Amino acid sequence: MYVQQLEPVADSLALSALVAALPLATVLILLGALRMKAHRAGVIGLAVAVLVGWLVFGMPLGQTLSAGAQGALFGLFPIMWIVVNALWVYRMTVRTQHFDILRRSFGRLSDDPRIQALVIAFCFGALLEALAGFGAPVAICSVMLVALGFSPVKAAVVSLVANTAPVAFGAMGTPVVTLAQVTDLPLDTVASVVGRQTPLLALVVPLVLVWLVDGRRGLRETWAPALACGVAFAAAQFLAANYVSAQLADIGAALAGAAALVAVPSARRPAAEPVRAAVLTGVRSEDLDREDPRPEVLRAYAPYALIVVIFSIAQIPPVKETLARATRVFDWPFLDAADPDGNRVGANVFSLPLVATGGTLVLLAGLFTVVVLGVRAGDAAREWAATVYELRYAILTVTSVLALAYVMNLSGQAGTIGHFVAAAGAGLAFLSPILGWFGVAVSGSDTSANALFGALQVTAAAQSGLSPELLAAANSSGGVLGKMISPQNLTIACAAVGLAGKEGDLLRKVLPWSLALLLVMCLIVLGQSTAVLGWMLP
């Protein structure tokens, strides 16, 4: 049995923490300073983590490699299994041109560009984040807004800022699932706390969006539908995260927000021509006025309805229990590790949810989508293979980052850093969202940031007397605000709207909003760590 050490370097916690931070520092410097591709930085960071765990912390090489292999497998299944199948469903709607029908349907909901921004960037963007994440909402929503006549810059900025509140529960809850896995905290508990933080962002973001689209006039004239949308989104996300399922949080929130938005009478009024002329400075797509047959419109919405129905059925207790029977739990080979107190770590046992996982349920929805959209079996298979190929670098990034996280957690590197960081005491509650924000800003992924810093947050919380669940959740909730300034997302937005090389311009426009909302989240978490807002926690 390997027993973790807290102070392997000269019996000094500070020096040991400095050495333990080398893998994280390597990844952050390669990504942030040297602008290396994320998949390469992840692999190099993993190599550094293995060397530090083996040579400095004394974890046997075989166990160190086994820990990395377990993290890589978790990255493949269930994490990327969800993403691949979700993007496969989207690709089939594009192949059959039903995505264009969906875009035209959204355009007919309102001719007011401020309302269109809420429907597409906030509500539909949240649905895309729920199904796929990893940059897909920013790319798709930016293109849709440009087609409606938005200028490329405005479309990109609106899409980036909108992609905040739903991120923690994106890709069928992948970030919180990862957070629970690397911290050994119950998923329901982690999701519940995150569901009492990010909904507060949802109250503000729609108001920010109408300000971005049309300034003070937009806020004055459309605050009611924006607020209704935000309240409905926040309420649904809170209820789903706390009482239904983390995997359904964003889907329910997106649908509730859209329903509330169109229910407000002022959202359906035609926009005044001065508003349209001032806001829509781009070229409107010529096919927006085409009338689509009602059956085809229903088929365009069908893939998303199928996912909602299948996930809802999967949450029915008897069905949930039946699906869980296919889960395989086994001892992970060549790994026998214990914490400094001699207690075996949870990663010695691995759980493989073959059916009761989001990716398999999305795959099932995709098979029904093949039938509903009339896609031939061969074409559907080729689209699935093309999706895997398109995501090859993302797959390598996620697997390498999770392998790095597992090596750091199981060798004791994360624990050493956590004990050192705990010196911040009560101030740690204010700083914890910043760590998540920084991780996402650099890596472009809330999942990756949770894998990197989740265990560290929990260790630091335990040492400083704070709630581990609170700081773990704060890592994810603060991380969502770094998404809009991550180089990955900025590049995706620029590529989608034809602004290649203009990432710096977009960064200057979204950075103030990222920092302002981060400050709000820091104050929320700080309040939740005291009696001021402590009543909000479960």
Side-chain angles (χ1 to χ4, degrees):
M1 178 185 291
Y2 165 71
V3 180
Q4 298 172 354
Q5 305 176 63
L6 285 179
E7 302 175 353
V9 181
D11 292 326
S12 168
L13 182 61
L15 290 177
S16 299
L18 186 63
V19 175
L22 284 177
L24 296 177
T26 299
V27 173
L28 299 179
I29 290 172
L30 292 177
L31 286 172
L34 302 183
R35 297 179 179 269
M36 182 179 287
K37 297 291 185 182
H39 61 280
R40 294 176 182 169
V43 170
I44 295 173
L46 171 60
V48 175
V50 168
L51 291 174
V52 172
W54 174 35
L55 299 176
V56 179
F57 281 76
M59 189 177 197
L61 181 59
Q63 292 209 47
T64 307
L65 296 176
S66 179
Q70 186 179 145
L73 177 58
F74 181 70
L76 289 173
F77 192 97
I79 301 305
M80 292 310 297
W81 178 239
I82 297 171
V83 179
V84 167
N85 290 320
L87 280 180
W88 173 54
V89 173
Y90 162 70
R91 285 178 66 100
M92 286 193 293
T93 66
V94 173
R95 183 184 184 93
T96 59
Q97 298 184 342
H98 284 88
F99 182 75
D100 292 330
I101 296 174
L102 194 67
R103 173 171 56 84
R104 288 192 289 270
S105 175
F106 286 156
R108 285 190 288 270
L109 288 175
S110 173
D111 72 340
D112 190 326
R114 301 163 298 191
I115 303 301
Q116 290 172 343
L118 294 175
V119 171
I120 293 173
F122 188 69
C123 297
F124 185 59
L127 185 60
L128 291 173
E129 182 67 35
L131 301 180
F134 291 88
V138 170
I140 295 167
C141 293
S142 296
V143 170
M144 292 179 74
L145 290 175
V146 168
L148 291 173
F150 281 68
S151 71
V153 172
K154 186 161 289 187
V157 170
V158 167
S159 298
L160 285 166
V161 174
N163 191 219
T164 48
V167 169
F169 296 102
M172 296 300 174
T174 294
V176 291
V177 169
T178 303
L179 185 61
Q181 182 75 13
V182 301
T183 58
D184 285 330
L185 295 173
L187 173 59
D188 291 344
T189 304
V190 172
S192 178
V193 180
V194 175
R196 295 162 192 252
Q197 294 171 344
T198 56
L200 299 176
L201 291 176
L203 298 174
V204 178
V205 171
L207 299 171
V208 173
L209 294 180
V210 297
W211 176 280
L212 287 171
V213 173
D214 195 28
R216 189 174 301 172
R217 176 179 60 182
L219 190 60
R220 183 177 66 250
E221 295 180 358
T222 57
W223 67 267
L227 187 60
C229 178
V231 169
F233 187 103
Q237 192 181 62
F238 164 78
L239 292 172
N242 282 273
Y243 305 111
V244 184
S245 167
Q247 295 172 322
L248 290 175
D250 279 350
I251 294 177
L255 297 177
L261 180 61
V262 299
V264 177
S266 59
R268 300 192 300 274
R269 294 173 190 155
E273 283 304 316
V275 171
R276 292 180 57 82
V279 174
L280 299 181
T281 56
V283 179
R284 190 171 181 269
S285 179
E286 296 179 357
D287 70 343
L288 286 176
D289 297 324
R290 184 192 306 173
E291 288 293 331
D292 297 301
R294 182 174 293 275
E296 292 303 310
V297 174
L298 293 176
R299 291 173 74 191
Y301 282 91
Y304 308 102
L306 283 168
I307 291 175
V308 173
V309 170
I310 288 174
F311 270 82
S312 299
I313 293 174
Q315 299 306 313
I316 299 174
V319 177
K320 192 173 184 177
E321 292 173 7
T322 302
L323 297 178
R325 289 175 191 158
T327 298
R328 294 292 175 262
V329 179
F330 54 89
D331 291 333
W332 187 257
F334 312 112
L335 185 63
D336 190 10
D339 63 23
D341 296 325
N343 302 312
R344 291 198 174 195
V345 296
N348 291 331
V349 176
F350 191 76
S351 178
L352 196 64
L354 299 175
V355 180
T357 184
T360 303
L361 296 178
V362 175
L363 176 64
L364 179 61
L367 295 176
F368 282 115
T369 298
V370 169
V371 177
V372 172
L373 298 186
V375 182
R376 290 184 294 185
D379 292 337
R382 281 188 287 272
E383 285 295 338
W384 194 90
T387 303
V388 174
Y389 181 78
E390 179 185 336
L391 290 172
R392 63 194 185 281
Y393 294 127
I395 292 172
L396 181 56
T397 299
V398 170
T399 53
S400 62
V401 167
L402 277 162
L404 180 154
Y406 268 61
V407 170
M408 290 191 64
N409 295 345
L410 295 176
S411 67
Q413 297 173 59
T416 295
I417 299 172
H419 278 73
F420 180 72
V421 172
L428 188 60
F430 183 86
L431 298 175
S432 58
I434 299 176
L435 189 59
W437 173 84
F438 183 71
V440 176
V442 173
S443 69
S445 166
D446 199 35
T447 299
S448 296
N450 286 345
L452 290 172
F453 300 128
L456 188 156
Q457 297 266 23
V458 168
T459 303
Q463 293 301 308
S464 59
L466 295 170
S467 164
E469 293 82 4
L470 174 62
L471 295 202
N475 193 83
S476 192
S477 299
V480 306
L481 300 169
K483 188 98 171 180
M484 70 178 82
I485 63 169
S486 71
Q488 173 182 309
N489 254 25
L490 290 170
T491 301
I492 289 172
C494 287
V497 299
L499 292 174
K502 300 292 185 181
E503 289 85 357
D505 295 340
L506 286 186
L507 176 61
R508 284 190 288 273
K509 290 182 179 295
V510 300
L511 181 59
W513 294 107
S514 178
L515 294 174
L517 292 173
L518 175 63
L519 176 60
V520 171
M521 182 54 64
C522 289
L523 293 174
I524 290 171
V525 175
L526 179 62
Q528 290 178 335
S529 71
T530 67
V532 177
L533 296 179
W535 53 269
M536 294 179 62
L537 299 180

